[in-house]
Amino acid sequence: MAIAKMKQMTLLAEQGNKDSVLKAVQELQKLELVELSTLEEPELLDYYSTDTAPKKRAVYEEKLKEIQGALLFLNQHIAKPGMIEKLKKGREEYTLEELEKHVADSNLDQTIVELEKTEKRLVELDQMKKNLNEKEEFLRKWQNMNFNPNDLKSFHLMSGTVGSIASGNVEDFEEAVEAVENSYLKKIFHYKDEASYLILVPSNLESLMEEVFEQFQLSRIVYPYKMAPQDELKTALKEMKNVQKEEKESKDTIKTFKEKARELQLGEEYYYNLVEREIGKTLLLNGNDLFILNGWLEEERIPELNSLLDEHVGKESYVVIADEIKFKDYAKVPVVLKNNKLVKPFESITEMYSMPKYDDVDPTPFMMPFYFVFFGMMSADLGYGILLWVVTLAASKLFKLDKSMKIFMQLFHYLSYSVIVWGVVYGSFFGYTLPFQLLSITNDVITILILSVVFGFIQLIYGLILNGGIKWRKQQRAASYIDGTAWALILLGVGLLVINMALWNNELIQTISYVVIIANVIGIILMTMLASDNKAAGFGLGLYNIYGATNYIGDIVSYTRLMALGVSGGSIAVAFNSIVDIFPTGLKFTIGALLFIVLHALNIFLTYLSAYIHTIRLQYVEFFGKFYEGGGRALSPFKTFEKHIYLKNRTNK
């Protein structure tokens, strides 16, 4: 239960085997490549150089872009599997060879071409629909006009105009037009904001009518069609029907490509892997005949690497050197957490906070027992715990979950045991009181509060002891005592003093408590002075460290949330049951049962969400703050895409 031991790997091979070596490393999925152009031995660069622009990268990236575009288009038009179906099916596993063979045997290029052609046509049809919709809207507006307004241009003795004005000017406009001698006015339509007219006037009075048009800001119609509006509308509607029919046929054709989606997904995986290998080449150093690869790898993975290299390259075609990591390089070494089956699901909590540095400790195994107990105490209900146990177990057994979701389910499955135990302690089953009950959320609130503080007190002392041990191991002797051991002893002294006052009132125990507290308070001041070059400043800093005792009071108070959340969740459950019990017998087992399920489902969600978040907060702020710094980074291996499938490592068969 620690941080995995890492090695700095150096690999030399012939230029002709570069692709095969990178393929083997990619299949391993555990080795992080290091950019060799930043090596501290610049003399190497006299003989080796980096490949900044691999020749095939642009080709692979273009193909990947085509596949992703085709897949995105296809996914927009085919039915997606349901969530349950998807969970049951899970992700398939392929070796790199199986993936490459599947892509090689598929008609990937033809599929892409056909989908691109269909997509292009659908875009054209969509634009045609937009144009026809605009045409239809225009023609419906003018459909009462049973002639083509462009024909008015052929008149010689009369001047004809079709145009629109604002509705508010209708009466004045009509009077002004009729005031012109021998004029003719016909209203075509009159809407809320606009009115349109056909106006005829003798040619010799055209200028007079133009003054009227200008006065009322008449807007002349622009009519781009050959036939009258009603005839053009019939043609447009017929065209729209044909376009819609072709669009439906095209979309039906796309649905026949549903089985090709898997082909495209595997193609995306394959070409992404190729692109990554091309990017990997930029991290190597290349000579005329050989190249050098460097990276970080777990020590226990070295045999797997050798096995894959033997298969892809051949035993005599490469050299692997595994170097011990120097202390000066610890700051840049990536971290892999290594814990047993019970602790491993809790690594996700540590990773959300910060990965440890390579020379630090993994806090996960130290945090795990407290997280386990605290989560159960905040959620405490036997019925809720059993339900969580059943749901998480069923999900793990019935569904093929993704790796991250599987770990999440394992975490909550383990936590369900704690919820069940604390449910028995509180004697609660979906808010109903069980015949056996060690603590009552209504009668023993003070006892539960004291128990919460005791748990917090224990975790704080444990964190301080860990801090002392870690800093002692790092040869930080003064800090080990000042920041860890001394405060742990002071808190133990305070705890012993409080217990003695509450239970025994023994003078000897009281004296021992005072001696332990005072001795370590003085010890913190003296040790701070001795560790400081300026003794006066050291004395002041020592006093300031003592002032930090107020922080521990706040830390201990924070643990009262263990009581608060447990009691509140149980009280809410009781209140919900009281609401259901109000219903008469006939309704209690119908509407009441449904209400019971809904209300408790809500309470379960809020209870587990609160327990998850607040338990994390106690670990991050109160516990980790006593001994854990973090600041490390996780291993970022050179690996495959694994978006649609999982890679099956043949070395683990």
Side-chain angles (χ1 to χ4, degrees):
M1 297 190 294
I3 296 172
K5 185 176 181 181
M6 305 296 290
K7 290 282 190 176
Q8 187 166 17
M9 308 298 299
T10 303
L11 188 152
L12 288 85
E14 296 178 353
Q15 286 286 347
N17 291 324
K18 185 185 295 184
D19 287 319
S20 298
V21 167
L22 286 173
K23 182 177 177 182
V25 172
Q26 192 176 46
E27 185 171 358
L28 179 66
Q29 306 222 96
K30 296 295 181 182
L31 191 150
E32 179 180 323
L33 296 181
V34 174
E35 188 174 359
L36 282 169
S37 60
T38 60
L39 281 177
E40 296 180 1
E41 294 79 10
E43 61 273 8
L44 270 176
L45 299 179
D46 295 335
Y47 304 97
Y48 294 90
S49 62
T50 57
D51 187 0
T52 57
K55 298 177 181 178
K56 297 180 181 179
R57 179 175 174 179
V59 176
Y60 295 151
E61 286 179 336
E62 183 61 29
K63 179 60 70 174
L64 178 61
K65 185 178 178 181
E66 291 178 359
I67 293 172
Q68 290 173 333
L71 187 58
L72 177 63
F73 170 69
L74 182 58
N75 285 334
Q76 292 172 346
H77 294 88
I78 60 175
K80 306 292 189 303
M83 185 179 70
I84 300 299
E85 180 185 350
K86 191 175 180 181
L87 288 173
K88 283 184 176 180
K89 185 178 180 181
R91 292 197 199 183
E92 296 177 301
E93 291 188 349
Y94 289 79
T95 64
L96 274 182
E97 279 66 25
E98 289 171 345
L99 175 62
E100 292 173 359
K101 184 177 185 303
H102 193 285
V103 174
D105 293 342
S106 67
N107 296 318
L108 190 59
D109 290 337
Q110 182 181 349
T111 300
I112 293 172
V113 169
E114 291 179 3
L115 285 173
E116 286 179 344
K117 181 180 178 181
T118 304
E119 181 180 15
K120 183 179 179 181
R121 183 55 183 164
L122 279 177
V123 170
E124 293 174 351
L125 291 172
D126 186 62
Q127 186 59 50
M128 291 171 65
K129 282 173 60 180
K130 289 179 180 178
N131 295 339
L132 287 170
N133 281 327
E134 292 176 2
K135 182 178 180 180
E136 180 184 353
E137 183 180 357
F138 175 82
L139 293 171
R140 286 192 182 280
K141 178 180 176 182
W142 294 95
Q143 63 182 333
N144 291 333
M145 184 172 62
N146 55 6
F147 61 92
N148 189 327
N150 295 323
D151 294 340
L152 297 175
K153 298 176 183 179
S154 63
F155 288 11
H156 297 292
L157 298 177
M158 300 291 289
S159 173
T161 302
V162 175
S164 303
I165 62 167
S167 291
N169 299 325
V170 166
E171 292 182 3
D172 293 339
F173 176 74
E174 290 178 354
E175 289 178 3
V177 171
E178 290 172 352
V180 178
E181 187 179 358
N182 295 323
S183 64
Y184 172 79
L185 178 70
K186 180 182 180 181
K187 186 183 293 183
I188 298 174
F189 63 76
H190 187 176
Y191 299 136
K192 181 179 179 180
D193 300 323
E194 180 185 13
S196 180
Y197 296 91
L198 165 65
I199 305 101
L200 297 174
V201 67
S203 296
N204 61 338
L205 298 177
E206 183 177 359
S207 59
L208 185 60
M209 186 60 74
E210 284 294 334
E211 293 178 3
V212 176
F213 293 165
E214 185 175 351
Q215 177 186 353
F216 290 93
Q217 297 181 339
L218 181 133
S219 175
R220 287 179 168 83
I221 184 175
V222 177
Y223 191 79
Y225 309 111
K226 295 180 179 180
M227 295 184 291
Q230 288 186 353
D231 297 327
E232 286 288 350
L233 180 59
K234 292 178 182 178
T235 303
L237 292 175
K238 185 176 181 181
E239 289 179 11
M240 176 64 80
K241 187 175 181 180
N242 292 334
V243 169
Q244 290 174 338
K245 180 181 178 182
E246 184 179 352
E247 183 183 50
K248 183 180 182 303
E249 291 173 351
S250 296
K251 289 182 177 180
D252 289 341
T253 301
I254 295 172
K255 293 177 182 177
T256 64
F257 281 78
K258 184 176 181 179
E259 300 302 322
K260 300 290 185 178
R262 194 60 178 165
E263 186 178 293
L264 290 168
Q265 289 173 350
L266 296 180
E268 184 181 12
E269 294 274 350
Y270 172 73
Y271 279 98
Y272 179 91
N273 295 343
L274 293 181
V275 170
E276 284 297 295
R277 287 179 217 165
E278 293 299 300
I279 294 174
K281 291 177 182 178
T282 64
L283 305 178
L284 313 178
L285 285 182
N286 297 280
N288 293 329
D289 301 311
L290 302 175
F291 72 91
I292 303 175
L293 177 151
N294 190 266
W296 309 106
L297 181 66
E298 297 171 64
E299 184 178 46
E300 66 176 30
R301 300 288 183 179
I302 294 176
E304 292 180 44
L305 174 63
N306 289 329
S307 175
L308 287 168
L309 288 171
D310 289 346
E311 181 176 344
H312 286 282
V313 184
K315 290 186 178 182
E316 307 301 324
S317 301
Y318 70 92
V319 174
V320 170
I321 303 170
D323 293 323
E324 292 291 337
I325 298 173
K326 301 174 183 178
F327 180 76
K328 65 182 181 67
D329 294 326
Y330 277 8
K332 58 185 179 183
V333 178
V335 171
V336 176
L337 302 182
K338 185 177 176 62
N339 291 290
N340 61 37
K341 184 179 179 181
L342 286 176
V343 178
K344 193 167 186 62
F346 293 84
E347 289 177 355
S348 60
I349 297 170
T350 298
E351 291 168 359
M352 281 193 293
Y353 180 79
S354 178
M355 292 290 282
K357 295 178 181 177
Y358 185 64
D359 61 340
D360 206 345
V361 297
D362 175 10
T364 310
F366 305 113
M367 168 270 294
M368 176 262 181
F370 293 102
Y371 193 97
F372 180 82
V373 172
F374 293 171
F375 184 92
M377 191 173 181
M378 289 185 185
S379 309
D381 185 280
L382 178 59
Y384 289 5
I386 292 174
L387 185 62
L388 182 62
W389 184 87
V390 170
V391 169
T392 52
L393 182 64
S396 300
K397 298 296 183 182
L398 299 177
F399 302 134
K400 295 181 179 179
L401 304 173
D402 287 347
K403 292 178 181 178
S404 58
M405 182 56 71
K406 187 175 183 180
I407 292 173
F408 190 74
M409 284 295 169
Q410 286 177 342
L411 172 64
F412 275 87
H413 184 71
Y414 293 156
L415 293 174
S416 69
Y417 292 97
S418 179
V419 178
I420 290 171
V421 170
W422 279 102
V424 173
V425 171
Y426 285 0
S428 176
F429 186 85
F430 287 102
Y432 291 107
T433 302
L434 295 171
F436 46 87
Q437 189 178 42
L438 298 178
L439 293 172
S440 169
I441 61 172
T442 55
N443 302 324
D444 300 315
V445 174
I446 300 300
T447 303
I448 297 172
L449 176 63
I450 294 172
L451 187 62
S452 302
V453 171
V454 169
F455 281 144
F457 189 79
I458 293 171
Q459 188 176 37
L460 289 180
I461 292 176
Y462 186 47
L464 291 168
I465 293 172
L466 286 173
N467 191 22
I470 292 168
K471 290 186 175 179
W472 184 271
R473 190 190 69 179
K474 294 181 178 180
Q475 307 300 315
Q476 301 173 13
R477 308 301 190 195
S480 171
Y481 174 75
I482 296 169
D483 299 329
T485 308
W487 279 111
L489 291 171
I490 290 172
L491 290 180
L492 283 171
V494 172
L496 184 61
L497 184 63
V498 171
I499 293 173
N500 180 60
M501 293 172 61
L503 299 179
W504 310 305
N505 203 23
N506 185 292
E507 291 186 4
L508 178 61
I509 294 177
Q510 181 176 328
T511 302
I512 293 173
S513 300
Y514 281 129
V515 169
V516 171
I517 295 170
I518 295 171
N520 283 282
V521 167
I522 296 172
I524 289 174
I525 296 173
L526 291 177
M527 189 64 72
T528 306
M529 291 175 62
L530 291 173
S532 177
D533 294 333
N534 187 323
K535 304 308 177 186
F539 179 77
L541 183 60
L543 291 177
Y544 180 76
N545 287 336
I546 298 302
Y547 176 74
T550 56
N551 295 329
Y552 292 101
I553 297 174
D555 290 341
I556 291 173
V557 170
S558 292
Y559 285 91
T560 58
R561 71 188 65 225
L562 295 175
M563 175 275 297
L565 287 174
V567 171
S568 65
S571 299
I572 292 172
V574 171
F576 285 164
N577 291 340
S578 299
I579 293 173
V580 175
D581 289 339
I582 294 175
F583 287 90
T585 305
L587 296 177
K588 186 179 293 185
F589 296 99
T590 53
I591 297 175
L594 179 61
L595 187 61
F596 180 89
I597 294 172
V598 172
L599 292 177
H600 277 284
L602 175 63
N603 193 39
I604 288 171
F605 172 75
L606 294 176
T607 296
Y608 285 146
L609 179 63
S610 299
Y612 181 71
I613 293 173
H614 286 283
T615 307
I616 285 178
R617 186 216 178 270
L618 288 174
Q619 308 313 309
Y620 288 173
V621 180
E622 276 67 41
F623 187 49
F624 282 5
K626 302 297 175 289
F627 72 98
Y628 181 57
E629 295 180 0
R633 67 176 183 87
L635 183 77
S636 180
F638 181 68
K639 61 192 297 292
T640 57
F641 195 25
E642 290 195 303
K643 178 180 178 181
H644 307 290
I645 64 169
Y646 283 129
L647 185 71
K648 184 165 54 180
N649 193 333
R650 290 167 295 165
T651 60
N652 291 333
K653 280 187 174 181

